[in-house]
Amino acid sequence: MTPELDRTRPVWRQVATTIAARIADGDYQVGDRVPSVVELSAEFGIASSTAQKALAHLKAEGLIRAEVGLGSFVAERPKV
């Protein structure tokens, strides 16, 4: 099932929010691989550049880490 996107708001931000919510809900645990650009493009029906921007935002926020050639993974959150 393709998530419904509000085309009046930045799509990349909605995708990033969805992935962040999946991490917060425990759908993706620390160390789990998150969907690739291609997988996100297919799931949300978006351009690959939009999916890349969403993943870049999540990486900048410290929610995921990228490993060249392997993909993106849920980052370990620092203890507060």
Side-chain angles (χ1 to χ4, degrees):
M1 182 171 109
T2 303
E4 195 64 37
L5 297 174
D6 176 2
R7 299 294 176 167
T8 63
R9 298 181 319 156
V11 172
W12 69 267
R13 188 173 297 276
Q14 293 175 71
V15 172
T17 299
T18 300
I19 300 302
R22 291 176 184 174
I23 292 170
D25 292 344
D27 295 338
Y28 301 138
Q29 299 287 320
V30 170
D32 285 353
R33 188 178 159 283
V34 296
S36 68
V37 168
V38 172
E39 292 166 334
L40 289 174
S41 296
E43 179 181 352
F44 291 93
I46 58 174
S48 60
S49 60
T50 303
Q52 286 174 331
K53 191 168 184 176
L55 290 176
H57 177 75
L58 291 169
K59 184 178 176 189
E61 292 291 313
L63 290 175
I64 64 172
R65 59 182 169 74
E67 294 186 23
V68 177
L70 296 176
S72 297
F73 301 86
V74 177
E76 188 167 341
R77 300 298 299 208
K79 304 282 189 240
V80 259

